[in-house]
Amino acid sequence: MKRLLDPLFLGYGLAWWLIHSFRWAGAPIPFLNSYLTDFVFVPLVAHVALRIIRVFVVQNETYRIPCSYLVFMALYTSVVFEGLMPAIAKTYTRDAGDVLAYFAGAFFYYGIHQPRWDSAYREP
């Protein structure tokens, strides 16, 4: 459990929860409401996926999610939430900033979180 709940992962979850709490209360925080939840979405999903892959699929604690997989996650998320959903539900809107946030989150996870997480939890 310690390996799943690192400080960055907890920060993503806390940020997502706070932004949505303010949104549900009718007091959205302007810039953060628009892009922070989109930025943390791919890292949240990727971190859980990495833990599942390491424990149940490859049984290798040194496995890292390749950049191409993270780019695919961001692309898939962009197509679904910025392409398909606005076409079928009026509550969704297309926003290029959201797409940039998904990709920024993917690259952040690849370049910063994943290496930091690996070094912090490396077995002696």
Side-chain angles (χ1 to χ4, degrees):
M1 190 64 147
K2 176 184 173 186
R3 291 177 179 259
L4 178 63
L5 300 177
D6 78 334
L8 285 172
F9 179 76
L10 292 174
Y12 304 146
L14 180 62
W16 188 92
W17 179 80
L18 282 173
I19 296 302
H20 280 278
S21 294
F22 277 97
R23 190 182 295 170
W24 294 323
I29 303 167
F31 182 77
L32 298 180
N33 184 60
S34 299
Y35 301 111
L36 184 60
T37 54
D38 299 319
F39 177 82
V40 300
F41 181 77
V42 172
L44 274 167
V45 172
H47 197 64
V48 171
L50 178 63
R51 197 68 209 132
I52 291 169
I53 290 167
R54 284 180 171 181
V55 172
F56 298 108
V57 179
V58 298
Q59 287 109 23
N60 180 347
E61 286 296 325
T62 62
Y63 176 81
R64 293 182 63 190
I65 297 177
C67 188
S68 60
Y69 289 18
L70 293 164
V71 167
F72 177 78
M73 286 176 162
L75 181 63
Y76 183 82
T77 303
S78 297
V79 168
V80 170
F81 290 107
E82 305 304 321
L84 297 176
M85 293 306 291
I88 60 175
K90 292 181 182 186
T91 57
Y92 291 87
T93 57
R94 287 184 174 93
D95 183 357
D98 290 348
V99 173
L100 290 173
Y102 295 136
F103 280 92
F107 290 122
F108 176 85
Y109 188 80
Y110 180 77
I112 296 174
H113 186 166
Q114 197 168 223
R116 180 199 167 283
W117 188 73
D118 283 347
S119 66
Y121 293 101
R122 186 156 292 146
E123 297 295 330

